[in-house]
Amino acid sequence: MADRSSAILLIRCPDAKGLVAGVSGFLYEHGANILSTDEHRDDETGQFLMRVEWDLEDFGLDREALARAFDSAVARRFDMQWRVAYSQEPVRVALFVSKYLHCLSDLLHRRREGELRADIRMVISNHRDAEAIAGFYGVPFHYIPTAPALKAEAERRQLALLEEERAGLIVLARYMQVLSPEFVARYPARIINVHHSFLPAFSGARPYHAAFERGVKLIGATAHYVTDVLDDGPIIEQEVVRVSHRDQLADMIEKGRDAERLALARAVRWHTEHRILIDGRKTVVFV
Amino acid sequence: MADRSSAILLIRCPDAKGLVAGVSGFLYEHGANILSTDEHRDDETGQFLMRVEWDLEDFGLDREALARAFDSAVARRFDMQWRVAYSQEPVRVALFVSKYLHCLSDLLHRRREGELRADIRMVISNHRDAEAIAGFYGVPFHYIPTAPALKAEAERRQLALLEEERAGLIVLARYMQVLSPEFVARYPARIINVHHSFLPAFSGARPYHAAFERGVKLIGATAHYVTDVLDDGPIIEQEVVRVSHRDQLADMIEKGRDAERLALARAVRWHTEHRILIDGRKTVVFV
Amino acid sequence: MADRSSAILLIRCPDAKGLVAGVSGFLYEHGANILSTDEHRDDETGQFLMRVEWDLEDFGLDREALARAFDSAVARRFDMQWRVAYSQEPVRVALFVSKYLHCLSDLLHRRREGELRADIRMVISNHRDAEAIAGFYGVPFHYIPTAPALKAEAERRQLALLEEERAGLIVLARYMQVLSPEFVARYPARIINVHHSFLPAFSGARPYHAAFERGVKLIGATAHYVTDVLDDGPIIEQEVVRVSHRDQLADMIEKGRDAERLALARAVRWHTEHRILIDGRKTVVFV
Amino acid sequence: MADRSSAILLIRCPDAKGLVAGVSGFLYEHGANILSTDEHRDDETGQFLMRVEWDLEDFGLDREALARAFDSAVARRFDMQWRVAYSQEPVRVALFVSKYLHCLSDLLHRRREGELRADIRMVISNHRDAEAIAGFYGVPFHYIPTAPALKAEAERRQLALLEEERAGLIVLARYMQVLSPEFVARYPARIINVHHSFLPAFSGARPYHAAFERGVKLIGATAHYVTDVLDDGPIIEQEVVRVSHRDQLADMIEKGRDAERLALARAVRWHTEHRILIDGRKTVVFV
């Protein structure tokens, strides 16, 4: 599927009769060869969410024509929020990391293997540890220290780089700094963090220490969108690993890395494949 | 969702443009309030499979009218195989069991709890062990011995009961007899068996013994539709449980029961909710 | 292993050199044929915990002689807390339940199948729902209402029954009442509860509602010993089930039951096989 | 635990009374501070297997003295096969790989992170793809082509390198060549392969293709010791990943990689921590 040139339409609107007929009828009229359709009706909120992907080969509308036609023929009628993405324009990604490199290495390796259809533009870090591995995978590395006195300046530099490279997604691959509300507001539902616990358990600092002290039998990791409230954004994916009394703190940290890698890799993949829609405090993931 | 009166349309046909538009347009015209739509395009076989469920409240067509109208307006155009099921007419189920009662008890209990929206009409067994539990859950029990000399006669009696009760699904809940090809042919894709291994590993007799001897680290269970070839029918669900060198054969048999219960309960649930379509040798499960 | 007549020695003491040599030497001297040995050294607390099980066939000491000899020869030297259990004296269990019967049914069925080597003496409930299933499995049922005005009286009646039947373990199989601190103090590390969340997430009331609102991607269940602090006792076992945006609250409740059943069944089994030791706030489970 | 200087004793012998007492008594006499003890009695074969690890700090015997003393005091009496490993002498590992680099990258990264306490001496490959990543992690790379005509010569070169570097473990990290029986015989229970299926299902070539055709609902990976019979050696670890009808062959291959990485990483870790003993056709893994 990776090399077909396709378009993806993401829709959110109040549920109503005729929605699927409206969207699929429109696409059919214009010659779309649909590859997949996914929908969700949220019984609580009354929202309807939809993802359609179609082959562009016989499709009769270019980008502007599609936007105009869809807006007037369908979107207005159903009061839709919508956007279109094109498979030939991979999401431009910035990876933020501090000293733990397991998630970063994993993402870079998956990119090289072709598992991740993302355009990784840069690695930004407040440490130099990631410089070599970024270089090995051919990704520009930017060292931006974040000592308290430098924090505001650091965010300015980060934002400048993100804008320059037109980053569409920021991935906090074990980045141990809290972003300011202003920074977060610039990238709504476009910053993915991996928290090293099974949220909402053990939010905040040192979750493995807390899990170890509580004596849990499973540890976890959570990939979520970043919002103003720490570790509170919409959850995208969670993964767990079994532990026992034999696992010391160091063992839990090591085992947890496997959960972190998997949860974050899936979240980034789904985001860059335009499979995630925000539904209030939650995510809808069409996989 | 259980108490809404809804209809479910299941479709299979060669993939073509306009399929979703055709089906959803038809339903919209007749006032259907769609609850969920699922589709699958099989890239290998070129088949398109679809499941649509809609609320019957405002729907303008009764059973016969729907059949006629859908056939002429949509189905013929796309060369569809299709059927409609109604949530108010639960699938009529016959449970077959031998001496191990864990799957049977589990299904009967789930039925009582309302997890399983099936109409369990009878328990048929070649032993008397299940009689008490069937009685407790208020399900008629039929003892039909299957000694080799009685086998043909046993199947005649079983088929008579199944017809009398108009059973739509036969569940082999650890039924240790092989059904004849003639019997199987009467219920295509309507007999679900649970095999106590992770198929295709350890097909045939005594899979736990074989797994124990091989020294596997995970054991499994497989729920599948029964076909003429033993343990070869389309797989519906599989579940695994971790084992170690500490597990003796008896431990594996006990742990395996949990996998059997879960795999079979999910398969029966999905079938009775009309979520499963056969796609060649495989199943498409819309969950 | 079920039918061998064996003894199990459980030990806790400060770690020291010669512990294993001391215990195994003692058992060897008296003719013990060891079936399994498990130990744990807690690096944090400096505690040593051990479980030894041996065949009684050639063993030279009866109950009193063993206690006397072990105490003087080994236990005092290492400042041990210890106890001996005998496989021929299954733990006497009282099951408490309210209206949800899935865990209760599961435990009763496992007992009948021989998976659970426990002597289930009674079912106690503040509702009448469980009466029939208890009766089916031949277990005495006691209806003890727990309306606020009756609470103290209810606990008196419960305690009287527990004492009369010399219950060694109380299992709260979805018992929706909080036990008083006085009650809990009478059965330290001998009351097992199943909480329908992945603790410490969603402790307290209505965990599935909270999980549904938070939009988690995995739900869980936790079996733990009951202490004075609600949902805070040592965790014995945890299980999780994957959910998605498609799962409504009712679906999560149903899926969660499978996790509850499994977590509680394992915890009860391990307790009745004397595999669990308390280590501060945690459990050590020798499986 | 990584930095304590410890010794590990691995034992296999016919089960007998006094074994644990004999071993632990011996170690106690010589001042060993035991860190962990694990044992297994195989009820089928009557074999006893044991692993003891102790801190060397106060231990009174050097390598030769230990061997002599243990042999005469304990090993002969119980007819033991045994060996001692020292934590300060990490296992010397050779990684074999062909074109798929995900397992190799994962192992190299884990080594750098300190998760894997192995001394990776070389990467050997019949392709040049792995050269860069080996170089990045500072591991010598040897390109040894294995075209049919070169096969015998290739094995000679490989064996020469292995001997020169005194490799104690060979890891086939997706090495797509079958080793000759002569090669395998040189490294009994010292060659670990990862097979990309849930053995014994789909042994041999193209397991993902076979799994895809069969329509399984879980795919797996198996790490096992290599023996003369293809994919038949003692299984060390297995891992599974859930798939659905939505997963095309390419998706299954990608998802399977996660299972491969995890199964192989655990197997290599356990081997290099001397946690695995062979017990007939099976492994005993002390974790």
Side-chain angles (χ1 to χ4, degrees):
Chain A
M1 233 177 291
D3 26 32
R4 280 198 244 190
S5 179
S6 64
I8 297 139
L9 175 62
L10 296 166
I11 293 167
R12 177 175 34 217
C13 63
D15 195 14
K17 283 187 189 180
L19 272 162
V20 179
V23 174
S24 55
F26 171 86
L27 291 171
Y28 176 58
E29 270 172 50
H30 294 285
N33 185 20
I34 292 179
L35 299 172
S36 72
T37 314
D38 289 281
E39 333 154 11
H40 178 60
R41 285 165 178 83
D42 188 321
D43 285 1
E44 275 200 312
T45 63
Q47 289 288 295
F48 171 84
L49 303 108
M50 189 175 185
R51 179 190 191 272
V52 200
E53 182 166 5
W54 67 97
D55 197 313
L56 285 172
E57 188 157 335
D58 304 327
F59 192 61
L61 302 174
D62 68 12
R63 181 183 308 245
E64 285 72 31
L66 168 60
R68 251 194 330 267
F70 186 71
D71 190 59
S72 67
V74 186
R76 281 192 220 160
R77 177 177 151 212
F78 292 104
D79 197 17
M80 288 177 174
Q81 293 177 274
W82 62 280
R83 65 183 183 87
V84 178
Y86 291 87
S87 67
Q88 300 299 58
E89 296 167 11
V91 175
R92 298 165 74 91
V93 177
L95 301 175
F96 282 46
V97 71
S98 292
K99 294 181 80 73
Y100 300 115
L101 306 184
H102 52 283
C103 285
L104 182 85
S105 302
D106 185 63
L107 291 172
L108 291 170
H109 184 73
R110 286 177 198 266
R111 175 66 197 90
R112 170 160 296 182
E113 296 285 311
E115 281 182 44
L116 212 56
R117 285 151 212 132
D119 183 5
I120 300 180
R121 306 299 300 172
M122 68 185 92
V123 171
I124 290 181
S125 183
N126 53 337
H127 295 277
R128 295 213 175 267
D129 304 63
E131 186 158 16
I133 189 97
F136 175 70
Y137 284 104
V139 176
F141 175 84
H142 303 280
Y143 168 61
I144 303 184
T146 53
L150 300 170
K151 182 115 203 240
E153 167 62 11
E155 288 205 347
R156 267 193 298 277
R157 291 177 59 193
Q158 291 165 352
L159 287 167
L161 283 164
L162 294 169
E163 269 174 44
E164 198 179 305
E165 289 292 336
R166 289 173 293 122
L169 175 68
I170 297 162
V171 177
L172 309 184
R174 299 299 307 274
Y175 182 64
M176 305 283 91
Q177 299 289 317
V178 176
L179 301 174
S180 73
E182 294 72 37
F183 190 112
V184 171
R186 295 279 287 275
Y187 290 93
R190 290 197 286 156
I191 309 175
I192 295 178
N193 181 44
V194 62
H195 183 73
H196 38 312
S197 85
F198 189 90
L199 288 176
F202 310 122
S203 61
R206 296 164 72 84
Y208 288 127
H209 290 73
F212 180 67
E213 284 193 14
R214 181 63 184 89
V216 296
K217 300 298 185 184
L218 291 163
I219 54 169
T222 304
H224 64 95
Y225 285 116
V226 173
T227 60
D228 272 10
V229 184
L230 190 68
D231 299 331
D232 190 59
I235 292 171
I236 304 168
E237 174 64 336
Q238 301 190 289
E239 189 54 75
V240 287
V241 181
R242 204 160 272 280
V243 293
S244 80
H245 62 268
R246 290 174 168 245
D247 290 295
Q248 295 301 309
L249 177 56
D251 301 311
M252 288 175 65
I253 291 171
E254 283 184 14
K255 289 190 174 179
R257 280 182 200 149
D258 288 328
E260 295 169 36
R261 271 185 276 247
L262 290 173
L264 184 60
R266 286 188 208 126
V268 172
R269 178 172 184 164
W270 295 335
H271 182 102
T272 55
E273 291 177 5
H274 311 285
R275 298 187 177 280
I276 314 178
L277 280 159
I278 301 286
D279 181 30
R281 282 192 68 198
K282 307 181 191 176
T283 61
V284 166
V285 183
F286 289 126
V287 284
Chain B
M1 233 177 290
D3 27 31
R4 280 197 244 193
S5 179
S6 65
I8 297 139
L9 175 61
L10 297 167
I11 292 167
R12 177 176 33 219
C13 63
D15 195 14
K17 284 189 189 180
L19 272 163
V20 179
V23 174
S24 57
F26 171 84
L27 291 171
Y28 175 58
E29 270 172 50
H30 294 285
N33 186 18
I34 292 178
L35 299 172
S36 73
T37 314
D38 289 282
E39 330 154 13
H40 178 61
R41 283 166 178 82
D42 188 321
D43 284 2
E44 274 200 312
T45 63
Q47 288 288 295
F48 172 83
L49 303 108
M50 188 175 187
R51 178 189 190 272
V52 199
E53 181 166 6
W54 67 95
D55 198 314
L56 285 171
E57 190 158 334
D58 304 327
F59 191 61
L61 301 173
D62 67 12
R63 181 183 308 246
E64 284 73 30
L66 169 60
R68 254 194 327 268
F70 186 72
D71 191 61
S72 67
V74 185
R76 279 190 220 159
R77 179 178 149 211
F78 293 105
D79 196 17
M80 288 178 175
Q81 293 176 274
W82 62 280
R83 66 183 182 88
V84 178
Y86 290 87
S87 68
Q88 299 301 58
E89 296 167 9
V91 174
R92 300 165 74 91
V93 178
L95 301 176
F96 281 46
V97 71
S98 292
K99 294 181 80 71
Y100 299 115
L101 306 183
H102 52 283
C103 285
L104 181 84
S105 302
D106 185 63
L107 292 171
L108 290 170
H109 183 74
R110 286 177 197 265
R111 175 65 198 89
R112 170 160 294 181
E113 296 285 309
E115 279 181 47
L116 212 56
R117 284 150 213 135
D119 184 6
I120 300 181
R121 305 300 300 173
M122 70 186 92
V123 171
I124 290 180
S125 183
N126 53 336
H127 295 275
R128 294 211 176 269
D129 305 64
E131 186 157 18
I133 190 96
F136 175 71
Y137 284 104
V139 176
F141 175 85
H142 303 281
Y143 168 60
I144 303 183
T146 52
L150 299 170
K151 183 114 202 241
E153 166 62 11
E155 288 206 347
R156 269 193 297 278
R157 291 177 59 193
Q158 291 165 352
L159 286 167
L161 283 165
L162 294 169
E163 268 174 44
E164 198 179 305
E165 289 292 336
R166 291 173 291 123
L169 176 67
I170 296 162
V171 177
L172 309 183
R174 298 300 308 275
Y175 182 65
M176 306 282 89
Q177 298 289 318
V178 176
L179 301 173
S180 73
E182 294 72 35
F183 190 111
V184 172
R186 294 278 287 276
Y187 291 92
R190 290 197 285 156
I191 309 174
I192 296 178
N193 181 46
V194 61
H195 183 73
H196 38 310
S197 86
F198 189 90
L199 288 176
F202 309 123
S203 61
R206 297 165 72 85
Y208 288 128
H209 291 73
F212 179 67
E213 283 193 16
R214 181 63 184 89
V216 295
K217 300 298 185 183
L218 290 163
I219 53 170
T222 303
H224 64 95
Y225 286 116
V226 173
T227 60
D228 272 10
V229 183
L230 190 68
D231 300 330
D232 189 59
I235 292 171
I236 304 168
E237 174 64 335
Q238 301 189 288
E239 189 54 77
V240 287
V241 181
R242 203 160 273 280
V243 293
S244 80
H245 62 270
R246 290 176 166 243
D247 290 295
Q248 295 300 310
L249 176 57
D251 302 310
M252 288 175 64
I253 291 171
E254 283 184 16
K255 289 190 174 180
R257 282 182 198 148
D258 288 328
E260 295 169 36
R261 271 185 276 249
L262 290 172
L264 184 60
R266 287 190 207 124
V268 173
R269 179 174 184 161
W270 295 336
H271 182 102
T272 56
E273 292 177 5
H274 311 285
R275 297 186 178 281
I276 314 178
L277 281 160
I278 301 286
D279 181 29
R281 281 192 69 198
K282 307 181 190 178
T283 62
V284 166
V285 183
F286 289 127
V287 284
Chain C
M1 233 177 290
D3 26 31
R4 280 199 243 190
S5 179
S6 66
I8 297 139
L9 175 62
L10 297 167
I11 293 167
R12 177 175 35 219
C13 63
D15 195 14
K17 284 188 189 180
L19 272 163
V20 178
V23 174
S24 57
F26 171 85
L27 290 171
Y28 175 57
E29 271 172 48
H30 294 285
N33 185 18
I34 291 178
L35 300 171
S36 73
T37 315
D38 289 283
E39 332 154 11
H40 178 60
R41 284 164 178 85
D42 188 321
D43 285 1
E44 275 199 313
T45 63
Q47 289 287 296
F48 172 84
L49 302 109
M50 189 176 185
R51 179 189 190 273
V52 200
E53 182 167 4
W54 67 96
D55 198 313
L56 285 172
E57 189 159 333
D58 305 326
F59 191 60
L61 301 174
D62 68 13
R63 183 183 307 245
E64 284 73 30
L66 168 59
R68 252 194 329 266
F70 186 72
D71 190 62
S72 67
V74 185
R76 280 191 219 159
R77 178 176 149 211
F78 292 104
D79 196 18
M80 287 176 176
Q81 292 178 274
W82 62 280
R83 65 184 182 86
V84 178
Y86 290 87
S87 67
Q88 299 300 57
E89 296 167 9
V91 174
R92 298 164 75 90
V93 176
L95 301 176
F96 282 46
V97 71
S98 292
K99 293 180 81 71
Y100 299 114
L101 305 184
H102 51 285
C103 285
L104 182 84
S105 302
D106 185 62
L107 292 172
L108 290 170
H109 183 74
R110 286 179 198 266
R111 175 65 197 89
R112 170 160 295 180
E113 296 286 310
E115 280 182 45
L116 213 55
R117 285 149 213 135
D119 183 5
I120 300 181
R121 306 299 300 171
M122 70 186 90
V123 171
I124 289 180
S125 183
N126 53 336
H127 295 277
R128 294 213 175 268
D129 305 64
E131 185 157 16
I133 189 97
F136 175 71
Y137 284 104
V139 176
F141 176 84
H142 304 280
Y143 168 60
I144 303 183
T146 52
L150 298 170
K151 182 115 202 241
E153 168 62 12
E155 288 206 344
R156 268 193 298 277
R157 290 177 60 193
Q158 291 165 351
L159 287 167
L161 282 165
L162 294 169
E163 269 175 42
E164 198 179 306
E165 289 292 336
R166 289 174 292 122
L169 176 67
I170 296 162
V171 177
L172 309 183
R174 298 300 308 273
Y175 182 63
M176 305 283 92
Q177 299 288 317
V178 176
L179 302 173
S180 74
E182 295 72 37
F183 190 112
V184 172
R186 295 278 287 274
Y187 291 92
R190 290 195 287 156
I191 308 175
I192 295 178
N193 182 44
V194 62
H195 183 73
H196 39 311
S197 85
F198 189 90
L199 288 176
F202 310 123
S203 60
R206 296 165 72 82
Y208 288 128
H209 290 74
F212 180 67
E213 284 193 15
R214 181 62 184 91
V216 294
K217 300 298 185 183
L218 290 163
I219 54 170
T222 304
H224 64 95
Y225 286 116
V226 173
T227 59
D228 272 9
V229 183
L230 191 67
D231 299 331
D232 190 58
I235 292 170
I236 304 168
E237 175 64 337
Q238 301 190 289
E239 190 54 75
V240 286
V241 181
R242 203 160 275 278
V243 293
S244 81
H245 62 270
R246 291 174 167 244
D247 291 295
Q248 295 302 309
L249 177 56
D251 301 312
M252 287 174 66
I253 291 172
E254 283 184 14
K255 289 190 174 178
R257 281 182 198 148
D258 288 329
E260 295 169 37
R261 271 186 275 249
L262 290 173
L264 184 60
R266 286 189 208 125
V268 173
R269 178 172 185 162
W270 295 336
H271 182 102
T272 55
E273 292 177 4
H274 311 285
R275 297 186 178 281
I276 314 177
L277 280 159
I278 301 285
D279 181 29
R281 282 191 69 198
K282 307 181 191 176
T283 61
V284 165
V285 182
F286 289 127
V287 284
Chain D
M1 229 178 293
D3 27 31
R4 281 198 243 190
S5 179
S6 64
I8 296 140
L9 175 61
L10 296 167
I11 293 168
R12 177 174 34 217
C13 63
D15 195 13
K17 284 189 189 181
L19 272 163
V20 179
V23 174
S24 57
F26 171 84
L27 290 172
Y28 176 58
E29 270 172 49
H30 294 285
N33 185 20
I34 291 178
L35 300 171
S36 73
T37 315
D38 289 282
E39 333 153 11
H40 178 60
R41 284 167 178 81
D42 188 321
D43 285 2
E44 275 200 313
T45 62
Q47 288 288 296
F48 172 84
L49 304 108
M50 189 176 186
R51 179 189 190 272
V52 200
E53 181 166 6
W54 67 96
D55 197 313
L56 286 171
E57 189 159 335
D58 305 326
F59 191 61
L61 302 173
D62 66 12
R63 182 184 305 246
E64 284 73 30
L66 169 59
R68 253 194 330 266
F70 185 71
D71 190 62
S72 67
V74 185
R76 282 192 217 159
R77 179 178 148 211
F78 292 104
D79 196 17
M80 288 177 175
Q81 292 177 274
W82 62 280
R83 66 184 181 86
V84 178
Y86 290 87
S87 68
Q88 300 299 59
E89 295 167 11
V91 173
R92 300 164 75 90
V93 178
L95 301 176
F96 281 47
V97 70
S98 293
K99 293 181 79 73
Y100 300 115
L101 305 184
H102 52 284
C103 286
L104 182 85
S105 301
D106 185 62
L107 292 171
L108 290 170
H109 184 73
R110 287 178 197 266
R111 175 65 198 90
R112 170 161 295 182
E113 296 285 309
E115 281 182 44
L116 213 56
R117 285 152 213 132
D119 183 5
I120 301 181
R121 306 299 300 172
M122 69 185 92
V123 171
I124 289 180
S125 183
N126 53 335
H127 296 276
R128 295 214 175 266
D129 304 64
E131 185 157 18
I133 190 94
F136 176 70
Y137 285 105
V139 176
F141 175 86
H142 303 280
Y143 169 61
I144 303 184
T146 52
L150 299 170
K151 183 112 202 243
E153 166 61 12
E155 288 205 346
R156 268 193 298 277
R157 289 177 59 194
Q158 291 165 351
L159 287 167
L161 283 165
L162 294 169
E163 268 175 44
E164 196 180 305
E165 289 293 335
R166 290 174 292 122
L169 175 68
I170 296 162
V171 177
L172 309 183
R174 300 299 309 274
Y175 182 64
M176 305 283 91
Q177 297 289 318
V178 177
L179 301 174
S180 73
E182 295 71 38
F183 190 112
V184 172
R186 293 279 287 275
Y187 290 92
R190 290 195 287 155
I191 308 175
I192 296 178
N193 182 44
V194 62
H195 183 74
H196 38 312
S197 86
F198 188 91
L199 288 176
F202 309 124
S203 60
R206 296 165 72 85
Y208 288 128
H209 291 73
F212 180 67
E213 283 193 14
R214 180 64 183 89
V216 295
K217 300 298 185 182
L218 291 163
I219 52 169
T222 304
H224 64 95
Y225 286 115
V226 173
T227 60
D228 272 9
V229 184
L230 190 68
D231 299 331
D232 190 59
I235 293 171
I236 304 169
E237 175 64 336
Q238 299 188 291
E239 190 54 76
V240 286
V241 180
R242 203 161 274 280
V243 293
S244 80
H245 62 269
R246 291 175 167 244
D247 290 295
Q248 295 301 310
L249 176 57
D251 302 310
M252 288 176 64
I253 291 171
E254 283 184 15
K255 289 190 174 180
R257 280 182 200 149
D258 288 328
E260 294 168 37
R261 271 186 275 249
L262 290 173
L264 184 60
R266 287 191 207 122
V268 173
R269 179 173 183 162
W270 296 335
H271 183 101
T272 55
E273 292 177 4
H274 311 286
R275 297 186 177 283
I276 314 177
L277 280 159
I278 301 287
D279 181 30
R281 280 192 69 199
K282 306 181 191 178
T283 61
V284 165
V285 182
F286 289 126
V287 284

